[in-house]
Amino acid sequence: MYLTRLGGLLAAYQRRDPAARSKLEIFLLYPGVHALLWHRAAHWLYLRRRYFLARWISQHARNTTGIEIHPGATIGRRLVIDHGMGIVIGETAEIGDDCLLYQGVTLGGTGKDQGKRHPTLGNNVMVGSGARVLGPFKVGDNARIAAGAVVLREVPPGSTAVGVPARIVRLDGCPVYYADDVDQISVQDPVREELERLARQVEALERTVADGEKARRRQPA
């Protein structure tokens, strides 16, 4: 059972990372794999109330890999952590199957909640580089969060969160992509697009006024 899950994890890394040359290389050299293996042991101890040992293992993993996963976090199968440096996953965070996290991601709390304080990611969720997902809400299945986004509220299944604070963008007429195929930066920010449209309108009006003023000056007195 354990070897089967490990094999599935290594295969997921190999499928999603074009730089991966072999499962052996992934197993020996990829910090995301090491962080997850350490987390399995820490989580097992955490569930049995061995909190000190669990935290010791998680801190050792953090110092070794640069990835901080609280031993209380619940993580599904085949999570791929790309690079991983700077990732923080809080105590009550939950991650579904087949998710993909890039470096610098935070699954954290707002500092005001009690009990369940951290987000829940559904299955096949992608979180782009440097994104922050903060609070006890759910990010639905097949959702994607753009690089640098700050998500403070629920994300519906199959949609994209973009910006600071994040806004929801549905993919017009497009199918839900598997996380392998997601481009974490080629997403549209509707607020930015609207501001750019307004700026273009203002520039056009200014040109019209300027042209009218020039025409008026050319007219004989």
Side-chain angles (χ1 to χ4, degrees):
M1 181 68 173
Y2 176 80
L3 292 178
T4 300
R5 287 197 172 187
L6 178 60
L9 175 65
L10 299 179
Y13 269 85
Q14 194 169 37
R15 184 173 65 249
R16 296 179 176 183
D17 186 354
R21 293 177 177 82
S22 69
K23 290 185 174 66
L24 180 62
E25 178 186 45
I26 295 167
F27 178 73
L28 293 177
L29 302 179
Y30 276 48
V33 173
H34 299 166
L36 289 173
L37 295 178
W38 282 113
H39 174 71
R40 298 299 182 194
H43 188 64
W44 187 89
L45 290 167
Y46 182 89
L47 294 178
R48 286 153 183 80
R49 300 180 180 275
R50 309 286 184 173
Y51 299 126
F52 180 85
L53 286 176
R55 253 339 252 273
W56 187 88
I57 290 175
S58 71
Q59 290 301 300
H60 172 76
R62 174 182 179 273
N63 294 335
T64 302
T65 65
I67 300 168
E68 182 170 344
I69 308 176
H70 193 285
T74 302
I75 297 178
R77 294 173 294 176
R78 298 179 298 276
L79 170 65
V80 171
I81 297 175
D82 193 297
H83 296 290
M85 181 62 68
I87 282 180
V88 177
I89 300 175
E91 179 181 15
T92 61
E94 299 175 57
I95 301 176
D97 297 336
D98 299 306
C99 291
L100 175 59
L101 305 182
Y102 286 89
Q103 66 272 14
V105 165
T106 297
L107 304 181
T110 62
K112 297 183 290 186
D113 300 297
Q114 300 293 326
K116 171 68 171 168
R117 308 184 303 282
H118 304 96
T120 295
L121 305 189
N123 298 325
N124 190 37
V125 172
M126 187 218 75
V127 186
S129 301
R132 307 288 187 262
V133 187
L134 307 175
F137 52 82
K138 183 169 184 179
V139 177
D141 295 349
N142 306 305
R144 53 179 176 165
I145 297 171
V150 177
V151 184
L152 302 175
R153 62 183 63 184
E154 185 169 344
V155 178
S159 60
T160 301
V162 180
V164 182
R167 293 161 295 278
I168 302 304
V169 180
R170 290 197 175 276
L171 304 178
D172 296 334
C174 294
V176 174
Y177 296 104
Y178 189 67
D180 292 354
D181 304 319
V182 167
D183 181 347
Q184 60 169 324
I185 59 173
S186 298
V187 288
Q188 296 175 334
D189 185 339
V191 173
R192 179 178 178 180
E193 288 184 345
E194 182 64 15
L195 291 174
E196 290 176 349
R197 184 185 68 81
L198 291 172
R200 289 193 296 269
Q201 283 186 339
V202 170
E203 289 176 2
L205 289 172
E206 289 176 343
R207 284 195 300 269
T208 300
V209 171
D211 291 343
E213 183 65 19
K214 289 178 182 178
R216 185 184 65 80
R217 290 177 179 175
R218 291 195 195 101
Q219 292 177 355

